Amino acid sequence: MNYSTLKKSVALSLVALTGVATLAVAQDAPATTSSTKVFGGRGQYRTWSIGVNAGVLAPVVAIGGSNDFNKWDVNLGYGLNIRKQLGHSFALELNGLRGKVSGSNDATTGPIAPGSATAREFETELQYAVDLRGVVNVGSIDFLRRENAVGFFVTAGAGYMAYAPKVTYTNGTVVDWKGNATGPAGDKHEAKDYVKGMYIPVGVGVKFKVSERVNFNLGYTMNFVDADNFDGIYAQGTTKDKFSYGYAGLEFSLGSSAKPSLEWTNPLATMYDDLKDPTLRQEVEALKNRVSAVEKSVEDLKKDTDGDGVADQFDKCPGTPAGTAVDGSGCPLPKMTAPVDSTSNVTGFEKIGFDFNSSVLKTESYPTLDKLSSVLRENGGKVTVNGYASSEGTAAYNLKLSKDRANSVKTYLVNSGVNASQVATKGNGEANPIASNDTEEGRIENRRVETARN
């Protein structure tokens, strides 16, 4: 196949591309809304596909470089691929390719490589070329659609191939490497039936979504052979051989029709659609209403109009006068009729002692506490209960212990009918000792609660 034939092939490819582009425009209607979610995983998509392709093989690549022959032909190639889409923009693809690669030397211009001076033409049978490559989707025509219709991709990988060159020399000698262990002029090589070796495929392409199941692909791959015998010539000054494959093909998506294809789904557009989902907005509004209702209920629970320490929702006796001792339902407590010993010298403000590491009230403290309760209930007013501790243990622990001792006194007073708002508590820890903490007698004195009027 000569250069003019190649131009015809390219022209036919452009016609096909124009037709597919027209199809893509016709598909510019809004994509069908699916139930896929941005973080729903691969299980909600179709991820497997299989494709067939055909195109032209040539012993040159688009980036140029030296060649053993100065004229190249284009020949038919055909292949098969299986793809697993691992993400929205990345896939692994297994490719297989067969065909023929050929070229010749133009006697008028002379050979490119000195070592190929007597070689007139070559033809290499590509029995197979199998490779595994990564495919990266690098862009689409419409980034805002939930499902795109046109996408661009790049590929790279590594493969293994089997080939058999056949070289025709200017004197008419034909050397077929297949089944021949000796090349021209006694040049030995390792061929049996086919030469086998590694190669690196690097390519680009564009694909068009024809339907939910079918894609039309156009691509170009440069294949770099890890040898200098792909064309049957070991030429001085030339390192590795190479060939290219330009192709068109169809790709068929596998899996359930109820699922969209992962490679065509745009995660940004899907997220945008999720944010605009009216159902989601309704759920958010309903949640806001529930939060408002809970906040209102909390405010109602905190409301205490008469200030007796019982919320209005639970207050069975609203409007209690300020300072009145009430029970848990907000109703006034009955006045204590037990006589108070008028001959007693207890004022209610005496020091209250505690045992080591304890916040439990001693029975000997009850007369002092009863007197203080009587004073507060009859005369009103407010007091501050100060708790203290000796110096055993850590300062933080002693501070907590002093608070517990003060709260024990307040609990006793409130249970005896004193309004909780009349009693404040404060923990002082080891501060303000009234005796030395170096002796047991002094530490006993320091384990105390003192009550003072506000």
Side-chain angles (χ1 to χ4, degrees):
M1 185 178 293
N2 54 27
Y3 182 69
S4 61
T5 306
L6 176 61
K7 290 194 294 183
K8 293 180 182 179
S9 300
V10 173
L12 290 175
S13 299
L14 291 175
V15 172
L17 176 61
T18 303
V20 174
T22 303
L23 175 61
V25 173
Q27 289 184 335
D28 200 26
T32 303
T33 301
S34 67
S35 59
T36 57
K37 299 298 181 183
V38 176
F39 302 107
R42 284 194 299 268
Q44 60 186 339
Y45 299 101
R46 283 182 278 118
T47 58
W48 285 98
S49 62
I50 185 170
V52 294
N53 54 75
V56 293
L57 288 164
V60 293
V61 294
I63 61 175
S66 59
N67 295 283
D68 296 334
F69 293 84
N70 56 28
K71 291 183 64 177
W72 50 275
D73 303 328
V74 290
N75 298 278
L76 176 65
Y78 53 93
L80 176 72
N81 67 278
I82 300 174
R83 175 181 296 191
K84 171 64 174 179
Q85 196 74 28
L86 300 179
H88 294 282
S89 59
F90 181 76
L92 285 178
E93 186 173 276
L94 181 65
N95 284 271
L97 175 64
R98 296 193 67 180
K100 181 177 68 174
V101 181
S102 63
S104 62
N105 274 322
D106 188 347
T108 61
T109 60
I112 293 177
S116 61
T118 60
R120 185 175 65 197
E121 61 186 18
F122 84 95
E123 181 181 291
T124 298
E125 177 189 349
L126 185 61
Q127 185 190 33
Y128 65 81
V130 178
D131 63 73
L132 181 66
R133 64 184 72 173
V135 182
V136 179
N137 297 330
V138 295
S140 62
I141 295 298
D142 189 347
F143 290 96
L144 293 180
R145 289 185 59 190
R146 192 182 190 103
E147 291 188 358
N148 298 307
V150 181
F152 302 91
F153 61 88
V154 296
T155 65
Y160 191 73
M161 61 190 299
Y163 55 92
K166 183 172 68 173
V167 182
T168 301
Y169 292 87
T170 54
N171 60 3
T173 302
V174 176
V175 177
D176 190 347
W177 285 45
K178 183 165 56 175
N180 183 10
T182 304
D187 184 17
K188 294 184 178 181
H189 56 80
E190 298 178 355
K192 292 181 180 179
D193 288 335
Y194 291 91
V195 184
K196 297 179 174 64
M198 302 294 295
Y199 71 100
I200 301 295
V202 179
V204 296
V206 59
K207 64 171 48 185
F208 305 89
K209 183 178 180 182
V210 178
S211 69
E212 291 298 324
R213 287 287 186 181
V214 182
N215 300 332
F216 178 74
N217 298 344
L218 292 175
Y220 176 79
T221 303
M222 299 181 293
N223 301 282
F224 300 92
V225 184
D226 187 26
D228 189 26
N229 58 11
F230 183 72
D231 54 9
I233 297 296
Y234 291 103
Q236 181 181 358
T238 303
T239 54
K240 306 294 185 180
D241 287 335
K242 49 197 173 291
F243 67 97
S244 60
Y245 180 49
Y247 63 89
L250 294 176
E251 189 176 15
F252 304 91
S253 179
L254 307 177
S256 172
S257 300
K259 298 179 180 180
S261 177
L262 179 57
E263 67 175 325
W264 289 115
T265 303
N266 187 334
L268 294 179
T270 302
M271 181 178 291
Y272 179 82
D273 290 346
D274 286 347
L275 292 176
K276 293 299 182 180
D277 188 344
T279 303
L280 179 62
R281 295 179 66 85
Q282 292 172 5
E283 292 177 356
V284 172
E285 291 300 325
L287 182 60
K288 289 170 61 177
N289 292 335
R290 290 176 58 187
V291 171
S292 298
V294 170
E295 290 177 345
K296 184 177 183 304
S297 298
V298 171
E299 291 300 322
D300 291 342
L301 285 173
K302 293 166 58 179
K303 189 175 182 180
D304 181 13
T305 304
D306 55 13
D308 60 0
V310 179
D312 289 353
Q313 287 193 356
F314 308 104
D315 197 340
K316 295 182 179 179
C317 301
T320 304
T324 303
V326 298
D327 57 18
S329 63
C331 294
L333 290 168
K335 297 291 185 180
M336 295 182 63
T337 58
V340 177
D341 186 1
S342 59
T343 63
S344 173
N345 294 324
V346 176
T347 65
F349 292 90
E350 286 78 12
K351 180 188 70 174
I352 298 172
F354 291 84
D355 289 334
F356 170 72
N357 196 29
S358 174
S359 60
V360 178
L361 292 169
K362 297 179 180 181
T363 55
E364 62 192 49
S365 302
Y366 292 168
T368 299
L369 293 172
D370 291 338
K371 179 63 176 181
L372 179 59
S373 173
S374 175
V375 170
L376 292 175
R377 284 185 286 106
E378 293 178 4
N379 303 325
K382 296 182 179 181
V383 295
T384 298
V385 180
N386 292 284
Y388 298 92
S390 56
S391 61
E392 297 98 330
T394 65
Y397 181 80
N398 289 333
L399 179 63
K400 178 180 181 302
L401 181 59
S402 66
K403 292 179 180 179
D404 292 341
R405 288 170 174 170
N407 286 328
S408 295
V409 171
K410 179 176 180 177
T411 301
Y412 186 97
L413 294 174
V414 171
N415 289 339
S416 68
V418 177
N419 194 311
S421 62
Q422 293 180 265
V423 183
T425 61
K426 182 179 179 182
N428 298 281
E430 303 173 8
N432 305 323
I434 59 175
S436 173
N437 280 308
D438 295 333
T439 64
E440 179 60 25
E441 292 77 8
R443 289 191 288 270
I444 292 174
E445 291 293 320
N446 292 331
R447 300 168 190 148
R448 70 195 192 282
V449 161
E450 295 178 350
T451 305
R453 293 184 184 274
N454 289 351

